[in-house]
Amino acid sequence: MQDDDEVGGRVTLAAVAKEAGVSLATVSKVLNGRSDVSDATRARVEGILDTHGYRRRAQGASRSPLIELVFHELDSIWAMELIRGVENVAKENRATVVLTESGTRHAPSPDWIEGVLRRRPLGVVLVFSTLPEDVKRQLRSRAIPFVIIDPAGDPDPDVPSVGSANWAGGLAATRHLTDHKHERVAIITGPEDMLCSLARLDGYRSAMAMAGLEIDAGLVRFGDFHVQGGFEHAMDLLDRPDRPTAIFAGSDLQALGVLEAARLKGLSVPDDLSVVGYDDVPLAQWSSPPLTTVHQPLRHMAEEAARMLLRPDVPGKAAQRIELATHLVTRQSTAPPRGA
């Protein structure tokens, strides 16, 4: 490796090796994500690289024409919308999309970073809430750009991200129901440790307050964004003697679970129960009845994230945060309650 691999003449790899008290070969191993380096040595070298603002020069010829898209799970319907969005931009730039499943909904697993450093893609799109500091540092030191698609949280301010207006979506969904004269409106939002779930819940609370309605704490539930979770919460809610006349589900998948629970309880949607979902995945218009839902522009979010990866970086520029609008799509799963 040449000593002129530097940024602005400020630091060479030889200088980093000398300061860290290791060989140039060891620095090279750290830069290339090799596993045959101790954790302590890796952390020391990474820290020095970060302190000096080291960025490996991006060599176009050595880059793989890949955009890596990383999920913690690939079995959700909205994942397909994100994949299509990234693929649209990849095709425009003659790149290939590589899919990786790793980690939890908060961050990829620790062993993921070694693989991506070996692959050296054009960039990485991650569907997570945030990234550990060491992962961000390693990606930046190898000049591998990354963007978080953020339907699931609120990334750190130094992380480029694309999200949507979750509070506004929760407000619109609930106001639609209160405007239809529903007073007992339940919500099944997402997991309690995800900021998008809390934002949609805050939108619900704001709409209820605007309508002058008290919120029954028993009608507020935290789900998991999956069909089974929506079904289980709905079964419990619909067993109540003072059951709700409307349910706002924090995802279309949860709403499908609500529809099935209503069917098993012998309730007609929307005559006995109104249901609103969230996401507007293609399946929503084919449910029975077709689902009123909040359109989250998932494909557009993915396209914007992929384009951010391919734009030239400006040194010193603050990380860009793009928030796209949501809007309500009205179909046949909502109506005024009987007698209203």
Side-chain angles (χ1 to χ4, degrees):
M1 184 171 294
Q2 298 178 2
D3 286 356
D4 65 355
D5 198 354
E6 59 183 82
V7 170
R10 289 176 297 186
V11 62
T12 65
L13 297 185
V16 171
K18 182 177 180 180
E19 186 174 345
V22 299
S23 67
L24 192 57
T26 298
V27 176
S28 177
K29 288 179 181 179
V30 171
L31 282 169
N32 288 286
R34 293 270 296 275
S35 59
D36 53 340
V37 179
S38 71
D39 291 342
T41 298
R42 184 185 304 279
R44 185 165 69 253
V45 172
E46 290 284 359
I48 294 170
L49 289 168
D50 191 50
T51 297
H52 287 290
Y54 175 85
R55 298 291 184 273
R56 174 181 254 175
R57 287 176 178 161
Q59 301 292 335
S62 67
R63 289 280 191 173
S64 300
L66 306 173
I67 295 177
E68 185 155 346
L69 178 55
V70 190
F71 295 88
H72 79 279
E73 62 179 7
L74 282 168
D75 60 351
S76 62
I77 297 174
W78 58 258
M80 292 305 301
E81 291 297 292
L82 298 179
I83 292 168
R84 290 190 180 101
V86 174
E87 283 187 333
N88 288 344
V89 175
K91 288 177 182 177
E92 294 170 3
N93 292 272
R94 298 183 179 180
T96 301
V97 178
V98 175
L99 299 179
T100 302
E101 188 173 29
S102 176
T104 68
R105 61 178 176 262
H106 297 291
S109 62
D111 59 357
W112 167 77
I113 189 66
E114 293 185 12
V116 75
L117 294 181
R118 288 192 301 269
R119 289 186 288 275
R120 287 192 58 76
L122 296 174
V124 182
V125 177
L126 303 110
V127 189
F128 294 97
S129 298
T130 188
L131 287 178
E133 288 299 322
D134 62 324
V135 171
K136 291 187 286 186
R137 185 172 61 247
Q138 290 183 75
L139 290 172
R140 286 169 178 150
S141 69
R142 278 61 157 201
I144 300 176
F146 57 93
V147 178
I148 286 181
I149 295 179
D150 176 36
D154 189 12
D156 296 332
D158 65 336
V159 176
S161 63
V162 180
S164 66
N166 287 293
W167 178 86
L171 180 76
T174 311
R175 285 199 67 177
H176 175 71
L177 294 170
T178 59
D179 287 348
H180 277 70
K181 309 304 181 185
H182 289 278
E183 296 183 359
R184 291 192 57 74
V185 180
I187 179 173
I188 307 171
T189 189
E192 194 169 3
D193 61 349
M194 296 175 71
L195 290 182
C196 68
S197 307
L198 300 178
R200 293 170 196 177
L201 176 58
D202 284 343
Y204 159 86
R205 287 174 169 151
S206 296
M208 294 290 282
M210 291 169 66
L213 298 172
E214 294 288 334
I215 296 175
D216 181 343
L219 301 185
V220 176
R221 305 297 176 92
F222 289 95
D224 59 4
F225 288 144
H226 292 291
V227 175
Q228 186 65 30
F231 172 78
E232 291 173 358
H233 281 294
M235 289 293 284
D236 184 60
L237 287 166
L238 298 177
D239 269 342
R240 294 171 60 108
D242 55 350
R243 66 173 178 81
T245 61
I247 296 177
F248 165 37
S251 73
D252 290 342
L253 293 180
Q254 289 186 152
L256 293 178
V258 174
L259 293 177
E260 176 61 12
R263 187 188 70 81
L264 292 178
K265 294 292 184 182
L267 300 175
S268 171
V269 176
D271 295 333
D272 300 314
L273 179 72
S274 285
V275 181
V276 178
Y278 201 105
D279 288 329
D280 194 24
V281 297
L283 186 61
Q285 62 185 309
W286 298 107
S287 66
S288 183
L291 188 64
T292 294
T293 185
V294 175
H295 178 79
Q296 182 171 212
L298 295 169
R299 194 175 303 193
H300 188 191
M301 289 164 65
E303 290 172 345
E304 286 295 325
R307 291 191 183 104
M308 286 172 71
L309 286 180
L310 302 175
R311 292 174 191 146
D313 188 31
V314 179
K317 182 183 70 175
Q320 186 177 10
R321 164 73 176 179
I322 296 176
E323 184 171 278
L324 302 178
T326 54
H327 66 269
L328 189 74
V329 178
T330 305
R331 299 193 180 102
Q332 285 74 54
S333 66
T334 51
R338 291 184 186 274

